[in-house]
Amino acid sequence: MLPAGKITEATIEALAKLMQPGDVIIDGGNTFWQDDVRRGKALRERGLHYVDVGTSGGIWGIERGYCMMIGGDKPVVDRLDPIFKALAPGIGDIPRTSGRDGRDPRIEQGYIHAGPVGAGHFVKMIHNGIEYGLMQAYAEGFDILKNANIEALPADHRFDLDIADIAEVWRRGSVIPSWLLDLTASALAQNHTLDTYSGFVEDSGEGRWTVNAAVDEAVPAEVLTAALYTRFRSRKDHTFAEKILSAMRAGFGGHKEPPKKA
Amino acid sequence: MLPAGKITEATIEALAKLMQPGDVIIDGGNTFWQDDVRRGKALRERGLHYVDVGTSGGIWGIERGYCMMIGGDKPVVDRLDPIFKALAPGIGDIPRTSGRDGRDPRIEQGYIHAGPVGAGHFVKMIHNGIEYGLMQAYAEGFDILKNANIEALPADHRFDLDIADIAEVWRRGSVIPSWLLDLTASALAQNHTLDTYSGFVEDSGEGRWTVNAAVDEAVPAEVLTAALYTRFRSRKDHTFAEKILSAMRAGFGGHKEPPKKA
Amino acid sequence: MLPAGKITEATIEALAKLMQPGDVIIDGGNTFWQDDVRRGKALRERGLHYVDVGTSGGIWGIERGYCMMIGGDKPVVDRLDPIFKALAPGIGDIPRTSGRDGRDPRIEQGYIHAGPVGAGHFVKMIHNGIEYGLMQAYAEGFDILKNANIEALPADHRFDLDIADIAEVWRRGSVIPSWLLDLTASALAQNHTLDTYSGFVEDSGEGRWTVNAAVDEAVPAEVLTAALYTRFRSRKDHTFAEKILSAMRAGFGGHKEPPKKA
Amino acid sequence: MLPAGKITEATIEALAKLMQPGDVIIDGGNTFWQDDVRRGKALRERGLHYVDVGTSGGIWGIERGYCMMIGGDKPVVDRLDPIFKALAPGIGDIPRTSGRDGRDPRIEQGYIHAGPVGAGHFVKMIHNGIEYGLMQAYAEGFDILKNANIEALPADHRFDLDIADIAEVWRRGSVIPSWLLDLTASALAQNHTLDTYSGFVEDSGEGRWTVNAAVDEAVPAEVLTAALYTRFRSRKDHTFAEKILSAMRAGFGGHKEPPKKA
């Protein structure tokens, strides 16, 4: 399986030259699904097969297991089934969902043949888009908790909250437990101010592609997009947009900029 | 424990008249935390105590357990501890978070004394605010998956995806498993079009109060707010805002409105 | 006319004591409209009248004229009409809107009796809410123009644009001319990098109250809210939310934070 | 000048075959700027020139004038200058911006050579993106005014506002006058309920491409994006996302959907 990007492209080209008709290339990286579609078509013309596999589970995948989202022609994916079955996490101790009797048994093993070439990475892309939104929802909630004690609030409306404990208690019977909350509770238990982090947040391609897909489909995706934009903003001192605002305010109101606040 | 709103207000007043100094009123509903603060102060002047308890866990609370977020004076909350301990879900089989040794042991039992009167419902409010954001993140992601097959897309960029299976596979080793995903997978397993739902989505007060709190604290909370606004929008045929847009477009471009789309 | 806030409150109380039944207090500041409602009611019980007047026009009001949005009882507002007429900008050379024959002639003079006490500041509040949204729309557009030349883009998709000239040309026949664009074009003509501004953007109460009103009315107001949140964000180095994101990313992916970018 | 889309593509190909080296094709439609870049390159290889011209001004362009945003090689654009000068609105009675002495005089005539091939449509695209944001800002503000009288509000916090008059008074000395406001005031003067409009709002490509550009440049563009998403949403009865929310709410809370509201 291969990493994403130009190296992938070159490697695929190099591999293709060495392969024989009927051989299969599996791209298990974070490839843009439209590149899969293009490549799959090009390789098919040369008698070669292409299968895209999005995997999720992070660095804990080996321990926790990781699910696979697969795109490719049915006979090819079926042929490779032993590989996917061996890699899949298996049903483990995750409770079964009722109403799934008679459905594709591979799903509960932790892998899915989502559709033709590209579908695997498409589904993985949306997984990551959702992940951004979930992360941002928690992050904003904890931010409001953290700022519940600021001086701008009336004295009897301020709370000095222990957010490490709050994160932990929400793991125990609330409506919002998740693995992401587990990770947050763990990070806060070790350092409740998170002052070892600066707050510069990278984004991978998937978050951007998810927004592109939403736009292409005319699906309103406010939350997934806002989550992406927050990351963009986190990497700047100030945007040019903010300077425009300041310039306008100086123009119509003679407003001067305030000193920087923490 | 009491439901929220005017009934609560009247009941508290009625109760207070029957009580003796040192007695405690527990509000276990979804009260607005600023009402708690006000009431707690009024009752204190009469020698009475007030404790606000936010509970989370939905209708499955009895089965799954539910966590409690408590606000009140320390001696009073300590006095009531046997009640909370009895109601709390207990540590059960939820894995422990490392780094919590020496911290308040009540948290792992599923209840927290978050702070003075009002703090319990404040923390519960943020819990629900986050819940809105998480739900909307999943909802948008599934919406993009669902629309991946529309005719407006180029033919080789369309996918006909089984979102019931996708929801299920994400429960098995991905980065985004959660109880909310379990519920979604369950609903989709039973009816993958969800055509028994119209899509009118109510909001409880907590989502609104969360936005108010963000505004009061000057914390940007795009995702939590967008999640709330989606619900507002879901309950309208069209907004007046949209008619304004149509009127402007007719004005500057002579644009006529398109026919309704599904 | 009076400035907003606690000084107003105290001044009104002091004034009220000196007044005789039938006298009128005019609040021409940026008062929160719910305070107007409360005050109007309290003064009415003492036989006094209260009129709230929102004014708009910024520091150029004397030169450009400024419109007035008035709340109060009809007889009182009518009685004060000579004052408003004298202060109003008059019809000037602003083109008339067709279809207004037979409507309230005061409007074209630049003042409106919007409704009972509080309505004046309510309308002024929404004016400012819209202003935030308009400003942010321009600001984001110029930001995208400004960044059209970054190295992350493919070389043949980069443009080095003169945004001062672009702002100016949009004043001349486009769909988006406005006074706010005039101010932007003027600022950019003098300093096209705006490097004399840092980009810390204050918000007045009106933007926040507008969001509160939207939430109370269950009206989705994404744009007005996003414009407010951008200002909140502009005043922070990093949010706590962003540190939460970094902590989660370290947790599930071992991601390290990138170095700061301009 | 040519309309956008496949017809353009075919027409350009047909034209190119008829042309001689040094000839120029002008695309004056709403073409996607990346198509311009691609075409310009292809034509250049055949010795032909390509110039893209974005125009703005709507159907009133003939009366009000319309500005032009031009992309192309300098010698070619200079050669065509007599055409642009003839079409440009000229300085008219729009006040001059101070600080522009010594700058490109074409700008004040209403046209700009923004950069190489593609730059004209890129600038026009951002113009439209901003337009979406401006429109939505007004639309949301009027929506809040319109709903200020709903029964869900406390009786003494309700206002029955004349939004046609409010739109008009804001044209007269406020901070937010614009041509878009003029159009709104005109529409409301004729029909203050706008009940001849349903509220289905189309979007042209430019709004979507603007979001794509923001994402490519990592510029947070919340307002421009929210304005686009509102249009997407306006064309649906309900989103699938909303059904997912309803399904989740039924799952964790047994919540039933409310009846439809106006």
Side-chain angles (χ1 to χ4, degrees):
Chain A
M1 297 194 183
L2 304 166
K6 285 181 183 173
I7 297 171
T8 313
E9 202 78 38
T11 309
I12 286 173
E13 185 51 35
L15 271 177
K17 287 184 181 155
L18 302 172
M19 296 178 105
Q20 300 191 333
D23 282 357
V24 184
I25 293 179
I26 301 177
D27 180 344
N30 284 324
T31 299
F32 180 42
W33 62 274
Q34 294 186 7
D35 289 335
D36 292 322
V37 172
R38 180 175 46 73
R39 276 181 208 154
K41 194 180 293 183
L43 291 171
R44 190 174 298 125
E45 289 166 6
R46 294 155 75 169
L48 300 174
H49 302 298
Y50 182 85
V51 170
D52 54 293
V53 183
T55 58
S56 175
I59 53 175
W60 297 98
I62 292 169
E63 191 175 306
R64 290 177 69 242
Y66 54 89
C67 67
M68 286 173 285
M69 294 147 269
I70 304 162
D73 296 337
K74 186 172 184 319
V76 184
V77 175
D78 285 350
R79 170 148 64 105
L80 298 173
D81 192 69
I83 296 176
F84 300 130
K85 184 173 276 174
L87 290 170
I91 194 159
D93 53 5
I94 296 172
R96 298 189 61 195
T97 299
S98 67
R100 287 196 54 83
D101 291 338
R103 299 189 69 110
D104 185 342
R106 293 174 294 183
I107 310 302
E108 290 191 332
Q109 300 297 318
Y111 63 111
I112 184 172
H113 179 202
V117 172
H121 282 137
F122 187 89
V123 173
K124 172 54 166 45
M125 170 188 80
I126 300 298
H127 166 280
N128 284 35
I130 292 172
E131 179 188 309
Y132 279 40
L134 300 179
M135 289 171 71
Q136 183 65 18
Y138 285 117
E140 292 179 4
F142 283 110
D143 206 352
I144 303 173
L145 292 174
K146 182 78 171 181
N147 282 278
N149 204 24
I150 58 173
E151 286 191 16
L153 300 170
D156 62 347
H157 282 175
R158 287 182 213 157
F159 300 112
D160 184 20
L161 300 166
D162 185 322
I163 59 174
D165 280 356
I166 292 170
E168 180 63 26
V169 86
W170 285 344
R171 297 181 64 237
R172 302 188 167 278
S174 84
V175 174
I176 60 173
S178 69
W179 189 46
L180 290 165
L181 180 62
D182 293 346
L183 295 169
T184 307
S186 178
L188 289 168
Q190 284 156 48
N191 176 359
H192 67 100
T193 64
L194 300 181
D195 59 8
T196 53
Y197 296 100
S198 57
F200 295 95
V201 191
E202 281 288 11
D203 69 285
S204 62
E206 281 97 348
R208 302 185 185 204
W209 303 330
T210 297
V211 173
N212 292 152
V215 168
D216 287 345
E217 297 179 9
V219 168
E222 270 294 343
V223 157
L224 305 192
T225 310
L228 178 66
Y229 287 171
T230 295
R231 295 188 176 197
F232 289 168
R233 178 61 187 82
S234 81
R235 303 198 300 261
K236 309 205 178 199
D237 263 343
H238 281 284
T239 62
F240 187 68
E242 291 161 10
K243 292 174 195 275
I244 290 274
L245 297 180
S246 286
M248 283 188 188
R249 281 169 52 84
F252 67 72
H255 297 290
K256 288 188 183 156
E257 294 187 319
K260 198 167 184 173
K261 291 180 194 169
Chain B
M1 296 196 182
L2 304 167
K6 283 180 185 174
I7 297 171
T8 313
E9 202 79 36
T11 309
I12 285 175
E13 184 53 32
L15 271 178
K17 285 183 183 158
L18 301 172
M19 295 179 106
Q20 300 192 334
D23 283 357
V24 184
I25 293 178
I26 301 177
D27 180 344
N30 283 326
T31 300
F32 180 42
W33 62 275
Q34 294 185 9
D35 289 335
D36 292 323
V37 172
R38 180 175 45 73
R39 277 181 206 155
K41 194 181 293 181
L43 291 171
R44 190 175 297 121
E45 288 168 6
R46 294 155 73 169
L48 301 173
H49 302 298
Y50 183 87
V51 170
D52 55 291
V53 182
T55 57
S56 174
I59 53 175
W60 297 98
I62 291 169
E63 193 174 303
R64 291 176 69 242
Y66 54 90
C67 68
M68 287 173 283
M69 296 147 267
I70 304 163
D73 295 337
K74 186 173 186 319
V76 184
V77 175
D78 285 350
R79 172 148 61 105
L80 299 173
D81 191 69
I83 296 175
F84 301 130
K85 184 173 277 173
L87 292 170
I91 194 159
D93 53 4
I94 296 171
R96 298 189 63 194
T97 299
S98 68
R100 288 197 53 84
D101 292 338
R103 298 188 70 111
D104 185 343
R106 293 173 295 183
I107 310 302
E108 291 191 332
Q109 300 297 318
Y111 63 111
I112 184 174
H113 179 201
V117 173
H121 282 137
F122 187 90
V123 173
K124 172 55 166 43
M125 171 186 80
I126 300 299
H127 166 280
N128 284 34
I130 291 172
E131 181 189 306
Y132 279 41
L134 300 179
M135 290 171 70
Q136 182 65 19
Y138 286 116
E140 293 179 2
F142 283 109
D143 206 354
I144 302 173
L145 293 174
K146 182 79 172 178
N147 283 277
N149 204 24
I150 57 172
E151 286 190 16
L153 300 170
D156 62 347
H157 282 174
R158 286 181 215 158
F159 300 112
D160 183 20
L161 302 166
D162 184 323
I163 58 174
D165 280 356
I166 293 170
E168 180 63 24
V169 85
W170 284 344
R171 296 180 65 236
R172 302 188 167 279
S174 85
V175 175
I176 60 173
S178 69
W179 188 46
L180 291 166
L181 180 62
D182 293 346
L183 296 169
T184 306
S186 178
L188 290 168
Q190 284 156 46
N191 176 358
H192 67 100
T193 64
L194 299 183
D195 59 9
T196 53
Y197 296 99
S198 57
F200 295 95
V201 191
E202 283 285 13
D203 69 285
S204 62
E206 280 97 350
R208 302 185 184 203
W209 303 330
T210 297
V211 173
N212 292 151
V215 168
D216 286 345
E217 297 179 11
V219 167
E222 270 295 345
V223 159
L224 306 192
T225 309
L228 178 67
Y229 287 171
T230 295
R231 296 187 176 198
F232 290 168
R233 179 62 187 81
S234 80
R235 304 198 301 260
K236 310 203 179 201
D237 264 344
H238 280 285
T239 62
F240 187 69
E242 291 160 10
K243 292 173 194 278
I244 290 273
L245 296 180
S246 285
M248 283 188 188
R249 281 169 52 84
F252 69 71
H255 298 290
K256 288 187 184 155
E257 293 188 320
K260 198 166 185 174
K261 291 180 194 171
Chain C
M1 295 195 182
L2 305 166
K6 285 181 185 173
I7 298 171
T8 314
E9 202 78 36
T11 308
I12 286 174
E13 184 52 33
L15 270 176
K17 286 184 180 156
L18 301 171
M19 296 180 104
Q20 300 190 333
D23 282 358
V24 184
I25 292 179
I26 301 177
D27 179 344
N30 283 326
T31 299
F32 180 43
W33 62 276
Q34 293 185 9
D35 289 336
D36 292 322
V37 172
R38 181 176 45 74
R39 278 181 206 154
K41 193 181 293 183
L43 291 170
R44 190 175 297 122
E45 288 167 5
R46 294 155 74 169
L48 299 173
H49 302 298
Y50 182 86
V51 170
D52 55 291
V53 183
T55 59
S56 174
I59 53 175
W60 297 99
I62 292 168
E63 193 174 304
R64 291 176 70 242
Y66 54 90
C67 68
M68 286 173 284
M69 294 146 269
I70 304 163
D73 295 338
K74 185 173 186 318
V76 183
V77 174
D78 285 351
R79 171 147 62 103
L80 299 174
D81 191 68
I83 296 176
F84 299 130
K85 184 173 276 174
L87 291 171
I91 193 159
D93 54 6
I94 295 171
R96 298 190 61 196
T97 298
S98 68
R100 288 198 52 83
D101 292 339
R103 298 188 69 109
D104 185 343
R106 293 173 294 183
I107 310 302
E108 290 191 332
Q109 300 297 318
Y111 64 111
I112 185 174
H113 178 200
V117 172
H121 281 137
F122 187 91
V123 173
K124 172 54 165 44
M125 170 186 80
I126 300 299
H127 166 281
N128 284 36
I130 292 172
E131 180 188 307
Y132 279 40
L134 300 178
M135 290 171 70
Q136 183 65 18
Y138 286 117
E140 292 178 3
F142 283 110
D143 205 352
I144 302 173
L145 292 174
K146 183 77 172 182
N147 282 279
N149 204 24
I150 57 171
E151 286 191 16
L153 300 170
D156 62 348
H157 282 175
R158 286 181 215 159
F159 300 112
D160 183 20
L161 302 165
D162 185 322
I163 59 174
D165 280 357
I166 292 170
E168 180 63 23
V169 86
W170 285 344
R171 296 181 63 237
R172 303 188 167 278
S174 86
V175 174
I176 61 171
S178 69
W179 188 45
L180 290 166
L181 181 62
D182 293 348
L183 295 170
T184 306
S186 179
L188 289 168
Q190 284 155 48
N191 177 359
H192 67 100
T193 64
L194 299 182
D195 60 7
T196 54
Y197 297 99
S198 56
F200 294 95
V201 192
E202 282 285 14
D203 69 286
S204 62
E206 281 96 349
R208 301 186 185 203
W209 303 330
T210 296
V211 173
N212 292 151
V215 168
D216 287 345
E217 297 180 9
V219 168
E222 270 295 345
V223 158
L224 305 192
T225 309
L228 177 67
Y229 286 170
T230 296
R231 295 187 177 198
F232 290 168
R233 179 61 186 82
S234 80
R235 303 198 301 262
K236 309 205 179 201
D237 263 344
H238 280 284
T239 62
F240 187 68
E242 292 160 9
K243 292 174 196 277
I244 291 273
L245 297 179
S246 285
M248 283 187 189
R249 281 170 52 83
F252 67 72
H255 298 291
K256 288 188 184 156
E257 295 187 317
K260 200 166 182 174
K261 291 181 192 169
Chain D
M1 297 195 183
L2 304 167
K6 286 181 184 175
I7 298 172
T8 313
E9 202 78 36
T11 310
I12 286 175
E13 184 52 34
L15 270 177
K17 287 183 180 155
L18 303 171
M19 295 180 104
Q20 300 192 333
D23 283 356
V24 183
I25 293 178
I26 302 177
D27 179 344
N30 283 325
T31 300
F32 180 43
W33 63 273
Q34 293 185 10
D35 289 334
D36 292 322
V37 172
R38 181 176 44 75
R39 278 181 206 152
K41 195 181 294 183
L43 291 171
R44 191 175 296 122
E45 288 167 6
R46 294 154 75 169
L48 300 173
H49 302 298
Y50 182 86
V51 170
D52 55 293
V53 183
T55 57
S56 173
I59 54 176
W60 297 99
I62 292 168
E63 190 174 305
R64 290 176 69 242
Y66 54 89
C67 68
M68 286 172 286
M69 294 146 270
I70 305 162
D73 293 339
K74 188 174 184 317
V76 184
V77 175
D78 285 349
R79 171 148 62 103
L80 300 173
D81 191 69
I83 296 175
F84 300 129
K85 184 173 275 173
L87 291 171
I91 194 159
D93 53 5
I94 295 171
R96 299 190 61 196
T97 299
S98 68
R100 288 197 52 85
D101 293 338
R103 298 188 70 111
D104 185 341
R106 294 173 293 184
I107 311 301
E108 290 191 332
Q109 299 297 318
Y111 63 110
I112 184 172
H113 179 202
V117 172
H121 281 138
F122 186 90
V123 173
K124 171 56 165 45
M125 170 187 79
I126 300 297
H127 166 279
N128 284 35
I130 292 173
E131 181 188 307
Y132 279 39
L134 300 179
M135 290 171 70
Q136 183 66 18
Y138 286 117
E140 292 179 3
F142 283 110
D143 206 353
I144 303 173
L145 292 174
K146 182 79 171 179
N147 283 279
N149 204 24
I150 57 172
E151 285 190 16
L153 300 170
D156 62 347
H157 282 176
R158 288 181 213 156
F159 300 112
D160 183 20
L161 301 166
D162 185 323
I163 60 174
D165 280 357
I166 292 170
E168 180 64 24
V169 85
W170 284 344
R171 297 180 63 236
R172 302 189 167 279
S174 85
V175 174
I176 60 173
S178 69
W179 188 46
L180 290 167
L181 180 61
D182 293 347
L183 296 169
T184 307
S186 179
L188 289 169
Q190 285 156 47
N191 176 358
H192 67 100
T193 64
L194 300 182
D195 58 9
T196 53
Y197 297 99
S198 58
F200 293 94
V201 191
E202 282 285 13
D203 70 284
S204 62
E206 281 97 350
R208 301 184 186 206
W209 304 330
T210 297
V211 173
N212 292 151
V215 168
D216 286 345
E217 297 179 10
V219 167
E222 270 294 345
V223 158
L224 306 191
T225 309
L228 178 67
Y229 287 171
T230 295
R231 295 187 176 199
F232 290 169
R233 179 61 187 82
S234 80
R235 303 198 301 261
K236 311 206 177 196
D237 266 342
H238 279 285
T239 61
F240 187 68
E242 292 161 10
K243 293 174 195 277
I244 291 274
L245 295 181
S246 285
M248 282 188 189
R249 281 169 53 83
F252 67 72
H255 297 290
K256 289 190 182 154
E257 294 188 318
K260 200 167 183 174
K261 291 181 194 170

